[in-house]
Amino acid sequence: MSTANSLPRSTRQSVYTALPAQAVFGPTPWLAFDPLDIDVRTRPSDDVPWQVPPVAWSADLSSPRAGFVTVAFAAGLAAGTRVLVQGRRVHGRITDVTRGGAIVTAALERELDMQAATLQELRRDTDIVGDAFGAFDAEVASAAASAATARAYATSPYEVPVAEGERSALHWSVVSHQFATEAEAWAASVGGIIHDFGLLSEDVTSEEDWGTL
């Protein structure tokens, strides 16, 4: 932390659940430095991905204390809507920290605060991507196992444990359909992983949840 701002360990994100027609959410327990550093996503329930909000929103950093984020939507949201407020700062140097050869402590502290906030957000998003790649690897391994089984069916039909007289074109059609269904499910799951790279893990439920896919 600095002399002006408290920056404890944080993932710099907060999740809220809307009351009927609720339009204002916050303030967050973490600081931001510019309204442009704020990103908001919503979803009607926890079993669907985060989405761009259906109505316009704005971020206020002045109430009740400078730096803490309050988000206001142009219209009230449906009851139960989940609201994700995230810090997503793109850092830049906007002022100098020395003047006339002397260090300006207030400017230096603010610069270090902004860097710390950016690093916290970077760590949060890096962990999410890492979890996504882990899930992707597991899906690839599952698909490879299914492919190996399908190949065994195709090349060694007499090893398939079916009763005498049941080997027929219909039986092999059912087997082929089974593995085609598994392949479709795998493709859909990979698509979900790629989609979440640009947003956030679907399992974020609290400000301190790093998220998993």
Side-chain angles (χ1 to χ4, degrees):
M1 62 178 289
S2 72
T3 55
N5 304 312
S6 176
L7 290 172
R9 292 166 58 91
S10 171
T11 58
R12 299 181 55 75
Q13 60 189 19
S14 298
V15 178
Y16 304 93
T17 301
L19 298 173
Q22 184 176 353
V24 179
F25 300 85
T28 62
W30 42 270
L31 292 164
F33 301 91
D34 190 314
L36 295 177
D37 297 340
I38 304 305
D39 187 58
V40 175
R41 292 289 187 269
T42 61
R43 59 184 181 187
S45 62
D46 286 337
D47 57 353
V48 298
W50 293 108
Q51 304 164 353
V52 174
V55 297
W57 58 273
S58 60
D60 180 14
L61 308 186
S62 62
S63 177
R65 290 193 295 162
F68 295 90
V69 184
T70 299
V71 170
F73 290 88
L77 303 181
T81 298
R82 301 284 275 168
V83 179
L84 170 65
V85 180
Q86 277 190 311
R88 287 203 171 187
R89 179 173 177 78
V90 178
H91 191 51
R93 286 295 306 274
I94 56 176
T95 186
D96 57 348
V97 298
T98 60
R99 294 170 190 168
I103 295 176
V104 181
T105 56
L108 178 59
E109 293 283 8
R110 182 176 176 80
E111 176 64 27
L112 293 174
D113 290 342
M114 291 187 290
Q115 291 182 15
T118 304
L119 289 171
Q120 287 179 337
E121 294 166 10
L122 179 61
R123 173 56 189 270
R124 175 197 69 205
D125 296 340
T126 299
D127 279 5
I128 291 169
V129 172
D131 290 341
F133 274 116
F136 180 82
D137 289 342
E139 293 291 347
V140 170
S142 176
S146 295
T149 304
R151 188 179 303 109
Y153 278 145
T155 58
S156 304
Y158 290 103
E159 295 179 5
V160 181
V162 295
E164 185 67 27
E166 291 185 5
R167 303 186 193 285
S168 65
L170 176 60
H171 170 73
W172 296 115
S173 175
V174 171
V175 171
S176 298
H177 176 74
Q178 172 189 344
F179 286 102
T181 300
E182 291 185 13
E184 290 174 356
W186 173 76
S189 67
V190 172
I193 292 169
I194 294 173
H195 170 77
D196 284 335
F197 281 168
L199 297 177
L200 185 72
S201 161
E202 296 181 10
D203 295 328
V204 174
T205 56
S206 68
E207 190 274 334
E208 288 301 331
D209 190 344
W210 290 87
T212 56
L213 288 177

